[in-house]
Amino acid sequence: MIMKTKCGLGLSRSVETSSAVEEAIAMAKQTLDGDAPAFAFFTSTVEHDAEEVVKAARRVLPGVALHGITTSLGVLGAHGVLMGSNGAIGVLLASASEASSSSFRVAHTRVDDDAREAGRVLGEKLLVANAGRRPDLVLFHASPGQEESLLEGLAAVLPNVPTFGGSAADHAIAGEWSVFTDEGALKSAASAVGVYGGHVGGSIVAPYVPTSAKAVIGKSEGRRILELDGRRASDVVHAWVGSSIDTQAKEGGNILAQTSRHPLGLRHASDEGEYFVTLHPAHIDASSGAVDLFAQAPEGSEVYKMEPSALGLLDSLERLIERALSNAYLKADDVGGGVLIYCAGCAGAVGDALDEALRRHLNAKLPGVPILGLCTFGEQGWVQGVGNVHANLAMSLALFE
Amino acid sequence: MGFDRETRLRHLLVLIEEKKSPFAISRLILMTGVNLRGKVDLSNAGVQKKLEDALRELLPANELMEFEATVEAILKGAR
């Protein structure tokens, strides 16, 4: 008899990395009823040495495919935000039993200059891993920097396969992030879990709406906007965000906190309606007037000043869960497990209130379901009519039966 | 002899981690880029300003004032 996939969630705030990994795995195994795990999805904050996390995982779960990334701020879930004085570790295990509704395959690739090719290789590996069968959904996690090209390459091999995930993160935006793979903890890589069979689906929500203020990107280089409507990009962003970034507009600096309430939005129009991909202005370079983002800003595109939606950064979690359930054609009782992605910038902005909001919404809408949550530096998800997108200041949720 | 800005800040950060949560410290690191979990020079005036500005942004004013008052009381006791 086919049943929903047994999943287990394990968490630890133990100071010592090896003990934390052991503790988290032991906790996650409790709900697997002795089944072997098909894969282990790890996340940890960067207080823990990433290589140590992989070594400990290998020792405790020999032969089990590893997947995951480091998280910023803490480990999220129905428990709220887990963070200890030396960080936190979380793991999601999914049963490999043939009685499970869904089966899983894991693949990873290093990412060098040609990220599109790396994405293509990742897709090929997922196909090969399951005898040429296309996954019904992909959990996708990569180092931040080239997610758009990775998704493009992945889509070339796996067109129209909904892909949900988030980018590896640290606390200080200092490049301390890692991607957890069978090869070890990698600085520049992408890892994916192909989910095959059962009801699967997800949702990506950016809790913002466009205002009437907009500008054309006159000059940009990848993730850096230099000119908006013929003016220095920092002058336009300063005017939109207001006096809270007076100092940074003059001297340069980090504007993450202030712009989390007023990001930019790139409009995508489709038969399904319009969708705004949110871009998070992270830093101003005072000498050039450039504004750095966590996503690409193509020249000639129109960007809108966004403002928080009525539901805002916390209660949008409810909409996210409802949409993911609806897109997966699942009732809460039938969900085996899932992965929640919440933008680190949003989490930093809402602070302690996130703890309560996670407990309230996850326990109300997905009671008892093992959900591993991460704070990321970029979020990816499937938008009907648009395809797989890479966005900032967004949240995504992938669910499987 | 009085206590300097660095000492006050150091006590304030310890207090915030104890009374609020380690999550508050990770938020502070995220918003400032100052790696408080690694090697950081809290005597640097630029670092001090970044942290002080971010604390005003991240904590409600009354909460920050309470923490600052507690630090003053601790330092007074240490004199």
Side-chain angles (χ1 to χ4, degrees), chain A residues 186-225:
Chain A
L186 304 179
K187 285 288 169 204
S188 186
S191 182
V193 180
V195 186
Y196 308 80
H199 289 289
V200 295
S203 171
I204 181 166
V205 167
Y208 301 92
V209 290
T211 65
S212 57
K214 59 184 178 179
V216 174
I217 301 173
K219 198 171 172 193
S220 67
E221 292 165 357
R223 295 183 168 193
R224 166 170 275 207
I225 304 182

Side-chain angles (χ1 to χ4, degrees), chain A residues 17-351:
Chain A
T17 303
S18 180
S19 309
V21 170
E22 286 168 18
E23 188 179 35
I25 291 172
M27 182 180 165
K29 275 184 160 179
Q30 283 171 12
T31 44
L32 289 191
D33 299 330
D35 287 1
F39 74 100
F41 185 154
F42 275 94
T43 189
S44 80
T45 58
V46 294
E47 285 85 355
H48 289 288
D49 182 289
E51 265 312 327
E52 286 301 315
V53 172
V54 172
K55 275 185 197 163
R58 286 262 66 89
R59 194 180 67 251
V60 185
L61 294 172
V64 175
L66 297 186
H67 167 83
I69 50 168
T70 50
T71 175
S72 184
L73 299 167
V75 179
L76 312 182
H79 53 274
V81 181
L82 184 84
M83 183 63 189
S85 59
N86 190 42
I89 283 183
V91 62
L92 181 75
L93 300 178
S95 167
S97 164
E98 287 183 5
S100 300
S101 297
S102 303
S103 62
F104 309 88
R105 299 290 187 275
V106 178
H108 78 273
T109 182
R110 287 174 181 261
V111 180
D112 299 317
D113 293 340
D114 193 346
R116 192 183 186 283
E117 173 61 12
R120 198 195 58 75
V121 168
L122 191 64
E124 292 283 0
K125 285 185 177 180
L126 284 179
L127 281 175
V128 169
N130 205 8
R133 182 178 167 189
R134 270 164 49 115
D136 298 299
L137 181 139
V138 172
L139 304 176
F140 168 86
H141 297 274
S143 319
Q146 302 188 79
E147 295 92 329
E148 293 94 339
S149 301
L150 283 163
L151 288 176
E152 209 181 293
L154 195 62
V157 183
L158 303 173
N160 299 319
V161 175
T163 298
F164 292 91
S167 312
D170 58 11
H171 300 313
I173 320 179
E176 295 172 320
W177 49 72
S178 294
V179 177
F180 299 126
T181 74
D182 281 333
E183 201 185 332
L186 304 179
K187 285 288 169 204
S188 186
S191 182
V193 180
V195 186
Y196 308 80
H199 289 289
V200 295
S203 171
I204 181 166
V205 167
Y208 301 92
V209 290
T211 65
S212 57
K214 59 184 178 179
V216 174
I217 301 173
K219 198 171 172 193
S220 67
E221 292 165 357
R223 295 183 168 193
R224 166 170 275 207
I225 304 182
L226 295 158
E227 274 182 26
L228 285 168
D229 275 353
R231 298 165 61 196
R232 283 159 54 99
S234 61
D235 291 346
V236 175
V237 170
H238 185 197
W240 285 359
V241 175
S243 60
S244 62
I245 60 167
D246 281 352
T247 308
Q248 291 90 335
K250 202 160 72 180
E251 300 169 12
N254 183 326
I255 52 171
L256 278 169
Q258 298 85 348
T259 54
S260 64
R261 302 220 171 255
H262 297 291
L264 309 180
L266 269 181
R267 183 173 172 272
H268 289 258
S270 79
D271 295 344
E272 307 284 333
E274 62 179 9
Y275 181 84
F276 287 85
V277 171
T278 37
L279 313 175
H280 192 181
H283 186 269
I284 285 178
D285 179 73
S287 59
S288 65
V291 175
D292 292 325
L293 314 159
F294 286 111
Q296 285 179 9
E299 280 184 5
S301 307
E302 226 172 25
V303 283
Y304 288 70
K305 175 190 172 187
M306 307 292 279
E307 64 183 13
S309 64
L311 283 174
L313 275 60
L314 295 167
D315 288 336
S316 288
L317 280 165
E318 184 180 18
R319 176 170 293 174
L320 177 80
I321 299 166
E322 284 170 354
R323 285 187 181 172
L325 283 166
S326 164
N327 291 343
Y329 299 101
L330 279 168
K331 289 183 294 185
D333 286 349
D334 300 324
V335 179
V339 177
L340 170 72
I341 300 299
Y342 197 93
C343 168
C346 292
V350 298

Side-chain angles (χ1 to χ4, degrees), chain A residues 7 9 41 92 139 335-340 369-373 397-400:
Chain A
C7 290
L9 179 68
F41 185 154
L92 181 75
L139 304 176
V335 179
V339 177
L340 170 72
V369 177
I371 301 284
L372 180 65
L397 177 66
L399 300 173
F400 49 86

Side-chain angles (χ1 to χ4, degrees), chain A residues 47 84 171 176 348 351-352, chain B residues 20 22 26-27 30-31 35 37:
Chain A
E47 285 85 355
H171 300 313
E176 295 172 320
D352 295 341
Chain B
K20 287 192 70 71
S26 351
R27 285 178 69 207
L30 178 71
M31 295 311 177
N35 193 351
R37 303 271 187 219

